[in-house]
Amino acid sequence: MSDIAVTSSAELLGGFRITIDGHTVTNWRAGKSQALVQYLLLHRGRPVSRDTLRSTLWPHLPPSAGATSVKAAVHGARRALCATGERHAAVRIASVDGGYLLEADQLRIDVATFERRIAAATAAVAAGDRVLAAGHLRRAMEVYRGDLLPTQDAEWAVAEREWCRVRALHALRLLSDLALESGDWWAAIRWNRRALEVDPYDPAAFTVLADCHRQLGITAAALRWDELAQSRLAQV
């Protein structure tokens, strides 16, 4: 693996940051150049038409104004991404017929790593290897540092955020089930506390937390989890 691959990354989980060749990209111009890059990162490896970008990022603008905004955002994004040196750019926005393609073969993208590990875990479960599946799930949750693009409130980001959250909760539920099967109450507690970080209103997590504390003989803590569940779920 080259030095560029090691020192270039894009983080979308828990916040947004792109680091190219050891330097964090900070010179995002006014407008939606950053949002455009975020959208292309989520659709990496696939051409995205100008019309799709226009209707997604500028849904309220008339087509002509939206098309102009797309061009301006692409120009601004290219300048920001190449500011550390176009000669070894780890990520580029290439023009393709009718749209743009994000080329990022040398860029580590956290959400892509998360998806690969979840897919590997799913395959291991299907093959009946629950130990291997647990390893993939643990590594997936190491990558999941928080909500995807938490400050981006556009509809396209909200949809992707919820999908990632669902997969994270499913991973945590599988890890919890594996811990419960082996009687590892503390591990189950850890995974379900993490589940509440992802979704503070997850009723299954509250139930397991209370049950595990009862199994450990810590009844006072079990009662507190029951009370907290009752209080919090009443708000839903």
Side-chain angles (χ1 to χ4, degrees):
M1 185 178 292
S2 68
D3 290 340
I4 296 173
V6 170
T7 59
S8 298
S9 63
E11 298 172 11
L12 292 86
L13 296 167
F16 179 65
R17 183 172 67 173
I18 292 184
T19 302
I20 297 178
D21 205 9
H23 301 281
T24 299
V25 178
T26 58
N27 58 328
W28 300 105
R29 305 254 173 160
K32 292 192 176 181
S33 59
Q34 186 180 82
L36 180 137
V37 170
Q38 292 169 346
Y39 187 86
L40 291 176
L41 281 166
L42 291 174
H43 296 81
R44 60 203 170 274
R46 290 171 285 169
V48 180
S49 72
R50 294 185 185 92
D51 285 342
T52 297
L53 291 171
R54 175 186 56 76
S55 61
T56 300
L57 299 178
W58 293 273
H60 305 301
L61 289 181
S64 59
T68 299
S69 296
V70 170
K71 291 179 182 178
V74 169
H75 177 71
R78 282 171 169 163
R79 290 191 62 176
L81 294 172
C82 292
T84 58
E86 189 173 359
R87 184 168 59 91
H88 291 308
V91 55
R92 296 168 301 281
I93 300 174
S95 296
V96 296
D97 187 28
Y100 301 96
L101 172 67
L102 186 81
E103 297 177 342
D105 292 341
Q106 295 177 316
L107 189 74
R108 291 181 304 184
I109 305 172
D110 60 355
V111 69
T113 302
F114 174 72
E115 291 170 353
R116 282 196 303 272
R117 291 174 178 174
I118 291 292
T122 301
V125 169
D129 193 336
R130 294 170 73 79
V131 174
L132 180 60
H136 287 306
L137 292 170
R138 284 194 296 269
R139 287 190 288 275
M141 292 312 301
E142 288 171 4
V143 177
Y144 191 89
R145 291 177 296 275
D147 281 344
L148 180 138
L149 299 176
T151 62
Q152 177 59 264
D153 59 1
E155 185 177 313
W156 58 268
V158 173
E160 291 292 336
R161 183 181 308 138
E162 289 305 313
W163 178 229
C164 283
R165 187 181 291 162
V166 165
R167 283 181 288 182
L169 286 170
H170 181 61
L172 290 166
R173 182 62 48 230
L174 287 174
L175 286 166
S176 172
D177 289 346
L178 290 169
L180 292 172
E181 288 172 9
S182 63
D184 191 343
W185 314 121
W186 287 113
I189 287 170
R190 182 171 71 253
W191 296 125
N192 284 278
R193 284 176 64 91
R194 183 77 190 278
L196 289 180
E197 293 176 5
V198 177
D199 179 4
Y201 300 95
D202 182 3
F206 281 115
T207 298
V208 175
L209 284 165
D211 289 347
C212 285
H213 281 87
R214 288 191 180 92
Q215 290 287 348
L216 291 165
I218 314 174
T219 54
L223 289 172
R224 285 194 291 272
W225 280 114
D226 285 334
E227 292 169 359
L228 180 58
Q230 215 170 25
S231 170
R232 190 172 292 177
L233 296 178
Q235 303 171 24
V236 178

